[in-house]
Amino acid sequence: MLLEIIDIAVHYGKAEVLRDLSLHVAEGEIVTIIGANGAGKSTTLRAISGLKSVSAGEIKFNGKRISGLKSHEIVRLGISHVPEGRRILAPLSVMENLEIGAYLRKSKKEADSGFQNIFDHFPILRERKNQIAGSLSGGEQQMLAIARALLNQPRLMMMDEPSMGLSPLVVEQVGMIIKEINGRGISIILVEQNARMALNLAQRAYVLEAGRCVLEGEAGAMVDDERIKHAYLGG
Amino acid sequence: NAAPATPPAPVSAPATEAKILKLGCTLPFTNSLGIDTKKALEMLVPAFNEAGGLTVKGQRYNIDIIIYDDKYTADGGRAAVERLVNEDKVNYIVCQVGSAPIVAGLAVTEPAKVLVFCGGASGKIIAPQNKYTYGTATWRTNLAPLFPLLTKSFPNAKTMVNLSPDDETGKALAADNAKVATALGIKVLDNIFYPRDTQDFAPFATKIMVLNPDIMDYPGAVAGTQFGLQFKALYEAGYKGVHVSPMQPNLIEVLAVTPKESMENLISIIPSTDVPNPSEMAKKYKADWVAKYGEWSSASLNWIPAFYAFIEAVKKADTTDAEAIATYLSANGVQWESPNGKGMLVKRPDLKGDRFCDTCASLDFGIFKNGKYEYLGTLSPEESLKANETAFGGTWK
Amino acid sequence: MSPGLFIQLIVNALTIGSIYILMVLGLDIILRGTKILNFAHGQLYMLGAYVLLLFFQTLNLNFALALILSGATLALVGALSYLGVFAVLSRRFTVSTTFSYRLLLSAMASVGLMMILQQGTLLCFGTQERGILSPFPQIIDVFGVRISLTRVVIIFLSILICIGLFFLMYKTRFGKIMRAVSYDPEAVTLQGINTFWIFVSCFALGSALAGLAGGIIAPLFSVTPSMGQNIIFMSFLVLLVGGIGSYRGTIAGGLLVGLLLSFGFQFLGGIAELFVFILVIVILVFRPGGLLGEATE
Amino acid sequence: MALLEIRNITKIFGGLIALRDVSFDVNSSEIVGLIGPNGAGKSTLFNIISGFHHPDKGRILYKDVQINGLEIDRIARMGIGRIFQEPTLFMQETVFENVISGLHRHYQEAAWKALLHTPGANREENNKRDKALGILEFMELSSLKDELAANLPHGWQRVLAIAIALASEPDLLLLDEPVTGMNPSETASMIEKIRQIRERGVTVLIVEHDMRAVMSLCDRIIVLNLGVKLVEGTPDKIKNDERVIEAYLGKQVL
Amino acid sequence: MKLLNSSTVSRNSRLKLGAIIVALAVLIILPLCIESDYIKHLLIMVCIGTILGMTFSMLYSAGLITLGAAAFYAVGAYTSTMLVTSLGLSFWAALPLTIIISAVLSLGFGAIFVRNAGVAFVIITLIFVQVIVIAAGQIEFLGGWGGIMNIPRPDSLGPVEFVSKRDCYYLILAILLLIVVIYNAIYSSRIGRAWRAIKLSPNLAGTLGINAYRYRLLAFVIGSTTAALAGCFYAHYFQNITPGAFAGWLSIYVQLYAVLGGLEFYILGPAIGSVIMTFVPEYLRVVKEIEPIITGLLLLIIILFFPGGILGTIKNPPDFNLTQLKSRLNRMRISKAQGDKS
Ligand SMILES: Nc1ncnc2c1ncn2[C@@H]1O[C@H](COP(=O)(O)OP(=O)(O)OP(=O)(O)O)[C@@H](O)[C@H]1O
Ligand SMILES: Nc1ncnc2c1ncn2[C@@H]1O[C@H](COP(=O)(O)OP(=O)(O)OP(=O)(O)O)[C@@H](O)[C@H]1O
Ligand SMILES: [Mg+2]
Ligand SMILES: [Mg+2]
């Protein structure tokens, strides 16, 4: 098992936002987490990447306990996180954003090949290479965020609402990119409001409600589940 | 040598029970003039008590001195004086050093009729309406005696530039200096003022070298490294003339920043401990200081005359009532002797006051030659007073 | 004005200007990297001078070595201050903390640090004012213009440090990361970068610059406990004139203020300082963000 | 009659032409959609209308008055409200206080009366509170009203942003991606809200990538691409426009 | 400043009213119970400090951090002094004139300064103090660096003569209370809310029709004028003023008052801070040389561990969160275990 989350709880101050949450991701798998606004999806991802400390339970990556490590250490172990709201580095140029993304690459050559790869996938980023990232449009920023995470060469990539604010055409592309990334053997945790797309992409899914996992199962089966259809797929 | 660790046994109590006379003082605890003066007082007062204290009308008094930090600021000084006057109920304040805290305190001490003997260079301190306040530093009276000496040593020096801080004291003293110098036929080319905290004197030195004076005068300079930086800048700019200063630079500090050569031909007052035959008092003071604190600081002499002046004033007036002492002093003045030489209160007709309020003291002069001070001579307080009368007019006594 | 005087004034302006530049570059790195308006910067400068005094005069080391050591020591002092004070403070801030709150609290913390450093130095070294005799006492005489070698050395060293710093900030990854961290530390952490140490390095680097400035100036000026208080105002002024966050602006601002003061003292005397202040306000009327900076929120 | 007239707007950032010669009208009580690929210039146009940017060429007329060049707050006081693409709230205040701040421009009583707490001013203050509560009720935020805005989940923050904008009682409301980050059922209720807002007489100009929302809401849609107006028309027309499909919608639309 | 629903409002406001009456009574009776003029002097300085602290808080409430509190404090002191000593006006005539003159001046300068928010504003105000101080020192007409001495006390009002510390205390207390009332009214009005909005998000405030520039300017003018009022009293109470008294770190101390007391408490915060910063150092005189170190440490401790200031800490006692502590311990254990492995 690549990632195992065992009975974690997370608090913001006194409020408990995650409770007894367990989930796991196998090597090469796409897992999606869906749930309403405020269900705790982003919090789960933040707990995994160490941005938020867990107050109970533990998280194991590759058999090794990672809950308690600092986020940069977790990233180095091979978990990339594309955070909610993109969080690109607005005052820096696009290229500088990417260079920072390539921080973990050992050599310049390695980094350069990473950039080539990125530019092949996202030609628009090559065009905007020297533009200040903050002036990119929302969609361009999302691409930059994904590209930056890819440069970390993760084994597990967590994406928090990657389709947010993207035009339908690009959403489609993002879907393809996710598939492709997965095709390279990278496992993915996908948090999406666009549940239909998420379930189409994923092998397995977890449904979160008020900080607890209420349902878990094959993604394909869930698309047909009446309750899911009603609550998350819209009609 | 193993000195006995136990403190000396207290002097056995005299027959008549001694009363306590409370003296107040405020000093800046964050700069050396304050700290040196504090150390001096903490050394002098216990010694004074041990030597028998003060006797007034047959009653013996021991002095208790209370020193507070005035932070060298108006607000700090005011709070400290408020506390001395209203909380500790002192009737006398001595040895304050900075103009800002002194001036701020006057609004309390004057109405409360507290006797103040203080340093402070501002002429406003000894203004006629401040009936209970006396200046015991010689800033304002040592210029007139200094210049004749200068013209005697360097008869060919005919032009002068004043370099002084851009503040109250600097401006007042520069004006006085110009007056004294002009009276002796020296032409004052310019008065140059530098902001108080200046460290870079090169711009001023450049300006001075354009004027190329024979004499450089430093009224209102601060004794420490800043003084040294002035010498250094002039030296580097190629100045070769005479320097004159009413105050002796603190040699340790000055020589830390500038080479000895830069001070060549500096005529200044020197401390009474450094003359060829210092007085017993001066010798003892220096010895005691070195025994107690180690490193000698001649700067500590500057403000302590206030203490001796106060003691003398109480003795002469033969009362401890502040108002009575003030009445006596304003009318009669007083003379005293301190490790820093003799001193006396004088009138300041030039400041439109007709009470005794300021100080003329004996002055020891030296000149810096070949890397060290050479003794030039000593003036008595009377001679110093004469020189002032000649320069500024009026009757000072 | 004779050409000799002119050169003299320019040299004076350059010396003082280059010290301001070093100070302000340090202030600016700290401000941008860690969002701290560092009021203790003047005290770090003072410490730099004292450390140089210690190594150069008391321990008799070579000047260059002593200077490097004072930079290094101050980097250490800076790092420790950051770890002891600002790191603890920054844990209180969250993403939604307003900028003004953050700015204010960290500035106040630096004021606390300032008080401690200031009085601590006073207690350690005493109130006696000190100085070091310049290791370069020679006077260069070029066509009758007398220039002290110390000043030339100071200008030269400052230029050297500026170039080094420019290289560090714009040609190395560290510089980019520093700018990134100042914007969004969390996003940078997620790239596998230990942002905490970046903050520490920023503060240490800024402090080292202050220390170097203090060390470089020591042979020219005196070393006193109050030397830090005096320079900080002018440094802030230069920061403002040049424009916050602009490397070129800082250099332009430092030179401008140096020139204004140097020529001002020559032709206006003591009120030159006031004149400079007023000029700054005038500059701000026309360029609210400083010479080369942008108006910021 | 056209409430808002966009006339030949061109905006250039550095060398990049973000908008080129864009013109269209928005009529009173209409819901107009503005769609286009990422980077087409939609938000830029919003920024120009609300005064954050100034166009390099062209004019914007609102109620027949030229508004480009005016200050942000001036434009707001003329009745144009907006929400930002990024969540922009008074994060350290409660939901209720956020909405109260939104009411700012509608105080009638002179400021000094408020300082003296004259009865009129007090009455007004109470009115405002009731009004704010009403808006919270309408936006279904009542239960969260004492929560700090910063602690709300993303979706609710968007709802609150709209509530604040509504509080300023705009005649024209610019919504930049209002349903982004919401799941379909939340989206559906938001769509319903926006309809009701229109029914209150507010004209809405909306940027959104959720085609389901856009198509069902808008009376008219304007498509921007690379800063140029591509087409303008009813949802049905847009849905079937080849150029739009190619540039924006993709094949598997809806 | 939470807006609560009506039932709690009435109970709370009754409680508040009680507290205010008690506090007022204490403030009024205080000088009658205290013998020492020294303490009264400190109390007067506390009142002045509180006023200055409140001006800082006012600008802070609009998102501006000023280090220039001392600037208009000085302007007020000098203006009133000149009006009284040169034109021979009575204190009571000079007071309103001072206010008007300061308001006009602050409007002029504020119009320039307020264009920059953020760090630039902080520095401009800091430098502005310096400008005022140097200008006062350079202008002979204003007494130069030596300042002005023997400024008359406020002229007597009927039987009240303003000679004793007690009378002066009542005067400054009255001024303080007046300012408190005005400030309180402003904060609870829409002006106060607009300031808060600007502080939290200038962009959003703009789209709601709030002109950030004008509201900030308003805060600057009100704050500066208030400081000038305090300066006016200061000059006539102290009876002498020097430029130096306004220089240096005075403005920073003013800031400390606000931070120490609690930044979110725009009125009570500065008051508490001022009391502490006035009395503690006075009584720390015992420890003399290390006093600044103790003050510095105290400041750091408050900022680091009680960032809400004293009032903030009382209101929301820090929650020494056990879960957090546990997770930190966990983390330490892990990093140690990993250290062992490698
Ligand atoms: N910084 C914070 N402080 C306090 N509470 C928070 C904070 N961030 C999130 N929460 C709370 O934690 C809960 C879970 O939030 P989270 O962001 O994980 O939800 P989500 O499922 O990602 O929602 P969304 O779809 O809106 O992104 C929410 O109820 C939210 O109010
Ligand atoms: N301040 C700016 N400086 C430079 N370029 C900018 C600036 N603002 C926007 N741009 C550029 O203008 C173009 C249009 O941006 P805009 O934000 O308007 O796009 P958008 O249509 O809103 O896209 P999205 O749907 O992704 O939000 C983008 O390419 C962007 O990079
Ligand atoms: Mg989320
Ligand atoms: Mg957009």
Side-chain angles (χ1 to χ4, degrees), chain A residues 101-229:
Chain A
Y103 179 80
L104 293 178
R105 302 250 167 159
K106 302 274 165 342
S107 67
K108 188 160 174 357
K109 224 173 89 196
E110 223 180 299
D112 281 342
S113 78
F115 297 146
Q116 272 324 310
N117 210 328
I118 293 297
F119 290 145
D120 292 344
H121 277 296
F122 306 100
I124 190 121
L125 291 184
R126 178 180 286 142
E127 276 168 42
R128 300 267 187 271
K129 206 160 93 173
N130 296 319
Q131 195 171 323
I132 297 302
S135 67
L136 292 180
S137 80
E140 293 161 345
Q141 292 185 1
Q142 185 68 50
M143 288 183 218
L144 180 58
I146 296 177
R148 193 178 58 179
L150 272 178
L151 282 167
N152 295 333
Q153 294 177 304
R155 291 182 61 192
L156 170 66
M157 184 137 151
M158 308 192 289
M159 298 197 208
D160 201 343
E161 309 203 14
S163 75
M164 189 203 273
L166 297 196
S167 72
L169 195 63
V170 182
V171 172
E172 231 170 84
Q173 285 170 10
V174 168
M176 263 139 61
I177 293 168
I178 292 175
K179 274 212 184 106
E180 208 230 81
I181 294 170
N182 182 242
R184 295 190 224 165
I186 300 173
S187 309
I188 290 171
I189 302 182
L190 183 62
V191 165
E192 258 303 335
Q193 291 292 1
N194 191 340
R196 187 178 297 273
M197 163 183 157
L199 291 176
N200 282 338
L201 285 168
Q203 280 109 48
R204 280 187 318 109
Y206 292 87
V207 179
L208 240 56
E209 247 166 49
R212 305 182 97 159
C213 177
V214 293
L215 198 66
E216 138 175 32
E218 291 291 315
M222 281 212 194
V223 185
D224 303 324
D225 188 310
E226 270 314 311
R227 285 169 299 170
I228 300 291
K229 236 186 210 163

Side-chain angles (χ1 to χ4, degrees), chain A residues 137-138, chain D residues 42-44 85 176-177 207:
Chain A
S137 80
Chain D
K42 307 180 294 293
S43 302
T44 305
Q85 191 169 351
D176 203 346
E177 311 199 4
V207 166

Side-chain angles (χ1 to χ4, degrees), chain E residues 295-315:
Chain E
T295 315
L297 276 177
L298 194 79
L299 175 65
L300 281 186
I301 289 171
I302 297 259
I303 288 176
L304 294 188
F305 302 107
F306 308 96
I310 290 164
L311 289 172
T313 310
I314 294 172
K315 198 172 158 212

Side-chain angles (χ1 to χ4, degrees), chain B residues 291-303:
Chain B
K292 186 160 185 195
Y293 299 119
E295 204 175 339
W296 164 237
S297 159
S298 62
S300 71
L301 286 168
N302 285 336
W303 282 270

Side-chain angles (χ1 to χ4, degrees), chain C residues 39 85 89 92 98 100-101 104 108-109 112 115 119 123 236-237 239-240 271 277 284-285 288 296-297, chain E residues 60 65 67 115-116 123-124 126-127 131 134 138 200 216 253 255-256 263 289-290 299-300 303-304 307:
Chain C
F39 280 93
V85 178
L89 182 63
R92 306 243 155 229
T98 52
S100 46
Y101 181 74
L104 180 61
M108 285 294 90
M115 291 177 175
Q119 196 65 11
L123 290 182
F236 279 146
L237 184 108
L239 182 64
L240 203 59
I271 60 164
F277 284 150
L284 291 173
V285 173
T296 48
E297 179 60 44
Chain E
Y60 180 73
I65 298 174
L67 285 176
R115 299 198 303 174
N116 292 289
I123 301 174
I124 293 176
L126 183 70
I127 289 170
V131 173
I134 296 182
Q138 290 291 351
L200 293 175
R216 280 183 168 151
Y253 269 93
Q255 231 186 128
L256 287 187
L263 264 178
E289 284 88 351
I290 59 166
L299 175 65
L300 281 186
I303 288 176
L304 294 188

